[in-house]
Amino acid sequence: MTTGGPARRWWLFWLYTLLVIGAGIGLRDPWPSDEPRYTLAAQQMVSSGDWLFPHRGSELYADKPPMLMWTEAASYVVTGHWRIAFLLPSLLSALGCLWLVYDLGRRLWNPRAGAYAAAAMLMCFQLMFQVKRAQIDPLLMLFVTAANWGMLRHLLLGPNWRAWWFGCFCAGLGIITKGVGFLPLLLLLPWLLGRRLGFQPLPAAGHGTALRWWGGLLAVLAAVALWLVPMLLGARRHGGDPAYAAYVHDILFHQTADRYAHSWIHRQPVWYFLPVVLLNWLPLSLSYPGTLPRWWQALRERDARILLPLGWLLLVLMFFSIPSGKRDVYIMPAVPMLALISGPYLEAILATRWMRRSCKAFVAALAVILTVGGLYAWLGHPHAVQHLSVERGFGQDGDSLWWMVIGLGLGIGLIGWFGRRQRPEMTLLAAWGLIWIGWGLWGYPLLNSSSSAAGLMSEVRNQLGPEDQLGLVAWKEQNLLMLGRPATDFGFSRPEAEQFRRGIAWQAADPAHRWLFALDEAVQPCLDPQHAIALGHANRRDWWLFRADAVRPGCEPASSP
């Protein structure tokens, strides 16, 4: 990267990356299901000053450690805008992963292999979809990749004990991000196998280094202690409140070991991840026919640079295939290592006729699917499309949505046509960029009102006077987040019938000024629609706003057990 040409290409790559990932930041609010939950907890951290125990309204939120909430809250402190702050951790995580993969490829092979590896990372639908959202997984991927970076530098290019300790420390940060951050430690298994079978390069660690190896465990524990010790001490200070004891038990045991051993959601068959690595990792997965035989040849030649990342990737797939609960995003942290071991071979693979044709066929398929699908929805209005528009509350935006799909499809078609004589990877990059930039700059503003509950909660604010108070019954995180004014809730996980009874009692204390915002299912048949305000359909649910005179006396809601 020392000559002008490669340097310019490198900076153009980073500009391209920033555009495709960052396009749309600031143009939308958090969208369900997970984004409003984490952003609400971060918002309450900033407003209350309690950064140690995340809250969801009046309740403690124990489903996940607070790492993502911390990064969102810190981003808000720096930027002052929630629309920027809630997506900033995902953007920075993606950029960090790309640099780590490039640097590792550069060190293990050469700068060109590192550049191809970084580009390959972007060519994964699942990864791009997730890094343009505000969920825990991009942050987890960053810590897992950083851990792999440090450990592989030590195991393949070392001994480098600082890199080893850094990697272990990042694994600890991954643990307090989403529990499974320990996965990089599985690298030791293919490393031990490689040493036994004579793979190279696997430099000797030297004699008298047992304490240095154990220093990695101390680094993991030190990172975990950054959160665990203050959390336990804080819970002890609230010793009289059983909610904090329940929080500690839930987050340390129920949401980790119990969830893995006895999955209660997302039940899938053992082969669930096979179509994920084939379809969700497109277009990167187009390279499998070229990379698989090359990996096999490298393993036959005892190349540890392939053995360790590839062995680790397979162990991750095996780890997540064991429990019955599975989601496609669970294996996303393996994508950077897949890109790393693809990088050294991609230049040769892209020069083959079959790969050039595959890239062109993929671009053509994208153009046809988007254009034909959009036209079918816009012109035909089949029942399924109408149902989707109603469920998602698109309203008049429905036609605009299909116009966006058609526009992207036609744009990709033009890119494919004018780029048919160019290098196929450049055409693919252009089409890929158009999709994600178009989604951010066109799709975000178009769908924000219906997807984020911004429109719904704006209507609620318009109905309330300056002296009015609002209570929430059977609410969702996006309702409180987008309300923009103080509100009273009666629990989140508490049964809906109990929330309703508490809400009615609260409302009775000041019926002239207290309103209830409630889910339709939680208040039927106790609500008199003649005296209530129907807010319509949003986020796949129907909502009401009402005063005390709209509640039928002595009625118990249908959701009551």
Side-chain angles (χ1 to χ4, degrees):
M1 303 292 289
T2 57
T3 63
R8 283 196 297 271
R9 288 195 295 269
W10 181 236
W11 286 110
L12 285 173
F13 168 76
W14 283 107
L15 177 61
Y16 172 88
T17 301
L18 191 62
L19 284 174
V20 297
I21 299 177
I25 290 181
L27 298 181
R28 73 170 177 93
D29 300 293
W31 291 357
S33 59
D34 294 331
E35 289 181 349
R37 183 182 314 140
Y38 303 134
T39 306
L40 177 62
Q43 190 180 79
Q44 292 188 250
M45 285 178 178
V46 174
S47 61
S48 68
D50 182 4
W51 288 49
L52 192 55
F53 293 98
H55 282 74
R56 179 165 50 186
S58 60
E59 290 184 357
L60 290 167
Y61 175 67
D63 284 9
K64 296 292 188 294
M67 180 67 81
L68 177 62
M69 297 82 143
W70 287 344
T71 58
E72 288 193 19
S75 298
Y76 174 77
V77 172
V78 172
T79 65
H81 299 279
W82 281 112
R83 277 192 169 188
I84 297 175
F86 87 98
L87 284 171
L88 191 57
S90 293
L91 171 64
L92 297 179
S93 295
L95 296 177
C97 282
L98 286 164
W99 184 87
L100 290 166
V101 167
Y102 162 76
D103 186 68
L104 201 51
R106 174 183 67 86
R107 293 176 185 274
L108 292 175
W109 287 279
N110 53 64
R112 202 165 184 83
Y116 272 100
M121 254 194 71
L122 285 178
M123 296 292 104
C124 176
F125 174 83
Q126 181 192 61
L127 185 142
M128 284 299 304
F129 180 73
Q130 290 297 329
V131 299
K132 292 183 74 69
R133 305 175 72 192
Q135 295 187 327
I136 290 177
D137 303 282
L139 190 61
L140 173 67
M141 182 178 66
L142 172 64
F143 290 131
V144 168
T145 305
N148 286 338
W149 178 87
M151 293 179 183
L152 288 173
R153 284 194 60 186
H154 174 65
L155 298 175
L156 293 174
L157 301 173
N160 187 330
W161 293 107
R162 290 184 179 179
W164 167 251
W165 297 329
F166 172 80
C168 291
F169 185 81
C170 290
L173 294 179
I175 291 173
I176 63 175
T177 300
K178 201 180 177 182
V180 296
F182 68 88
L183 288 174
L185 297 172
L186 296 178
L187 273 171
L188 292 174
L189 296 179
W191 175 75
L192 290 171
L193 177 64
R195 289 182 66 86
R196 184 177 182 86
L197 298 179
F199 277 68
Q200 295 295 330
L202 289 176
H207 298 289
T209 56
L211 289 178
R212 292 181 174 181
W213 283 108
W214 284 107
L217 177 60
L218 293 178
V220 172
L221 296 177
V224 173
L226 291 177
W227 163 71
L228 183 62
V229 172
M231 186 268 292
L232 293 176
L233 293 176
R236 186 176 181 180
R237 287 196 296 269
H238 293 88
D241 190 340
Y244 285 85
Y247 174 88
V248 171
H249 180 272
D250 196 16
I251 202 166
L252 294 184
F253 302 105
H254 185 58
Q255 296 294 337
T256 53
D258 285 354
R259 190 164 190 162
Y260 181 82
H262 308 289
S263 305
W264 55 86
I265 54 175
H266 308 303
R267 295 182 179 273
Q268 301 291 347
V270 68
W271 46 264
Y272 171 76
F273 291 115
L274 179 60
V276 174
V277 301
L278 292 175
L279 301 178
N280 292 28
W281 290 1
L282 279 169
L284 175 57
S285 58
L286 294 175
S287 65
Y288 290 166
T291 52
L292 287 173
R294 287 171 169 83
W295 293 340
W296 177 247
Q297 181 61 31
L299 293 177
R300 293 181 63 184
E301 295 172 356
R302 300 294 193 268
D303 191 342
R305 297 173 300 176
I306 299 299
L307 173 66
L308 268 64
L310 179 59
W312 178 82
L313 193 157
L314 294 175
L315 288 171
V316 169
L317 291 175
M318 185 184 304
F319 175 84
F320 285 115
S321 296
I322 294 172
S324 59
K326 302 176 183 69
R327 293 181 64 196
D328 59 348
V329 76
Y330 289 173
I331 62 172
M332 191 180 76
V335 172
M337 291 300 100
L338 172 65
L340 174 68
I341 57 177
S342 300
Y345 311 112
L346 282 178
E347 187 171 14
I349 292 173
L350 287 167
T352 61
R353 180 178 297 179
W354 67 266
M355 189 61 184
R356 292 198 301 268
R357 290 179 174 176
S358 296
C359 289
K360 291 179 180 179
F362 182 79
V363 172
L366 283 178
V368 171
I369 291 172
L370 292 175
T371 304
V372 174
L375 285 171
Y376 177 68
W378 180 59
L379 295 175
H381 291 290
H383 176 73
V385 174
Q386 290 181 332
H387 179 71
L388 175 64
S389 296
V390 171
E391 280 294 296
R392 296 307 302 260
F394 292 153
Q396 295 180 348
D397 292 336
D399 284 348
S400 300
L401 171 66
W402 309 127
W403 271 113
M404 179 189 73
V405 174
I406 296 168
L408 292 177
L410 292 175
I412 294 171
L414 290 175
I415 289 173
W417 174 257
F418 287 107
R420 66 189 185 280
R421 300 188 185 278
Q422 305 299 319
R423 293 168 58 186
E425 64 269 28
M426 302 307 295
T427 303
L428 179 59
L429 281 170
W432 200 241
L434 178 63
I435 290 176
W436 297 110
I437 294 173
W439 172 241
L441 298 183
W442 193 350
Y444 283 4
L446 179 64
L447 303 178
N448 185 61
S449 179
S450 59
S451 296
S452 69
L456 174 69
M457 302 319 290
S458 174
E459 176 65 20
V460 172
R461 288 194 303 272
N462 292 337
Q463 296 291 340
L464 300 179
E467 302 299 323
D468 289 335
Q469 303 173 45
L470 184 68
L472 306 177
V473 173
W475 52 287
K476 297 299 179 183
E477 294 93 344
Q478 60 266 24
N479 302 132
L480 181 55
L481 178 67
M482 301 306 302
L483 180 58
R485 60 182 291 168
T488 300
D489 72 84
F490 311 100
F492 183 89
S493 56
R494 185 175 284 127
E496 294 176 356
E498 184 177 349
Q499 291 186 48
F500 180 73
R501 286 192 292 268
R502 288 171 176 256
I504 295 304
W506 170 83
Q507 194 175 46
D510 188 2
H513 298 98
R514 291 185 174 179
W515 295 73
L516 286 179
F517 168 86
L519 178 68
D520 176 75
E521 299 170 3
V523 296
Q524 296 298 345
C526 298
L527 193 67
D528 182 357
Q530 299 298 323
H531 295 86
I533 299 173
L535 297 172
H537 196 83
N539 301 125
R540 305 183 184 185
R541 299 169 179 89
D542 294 307
W543 303 92
W544 293 92
L545 183 68
F546 56 92
R547 285 180 167 158
D549 59 354
V551 179
R552 294 188 172 98
C555 178
E556 285 291 324
S559 58
S560 180

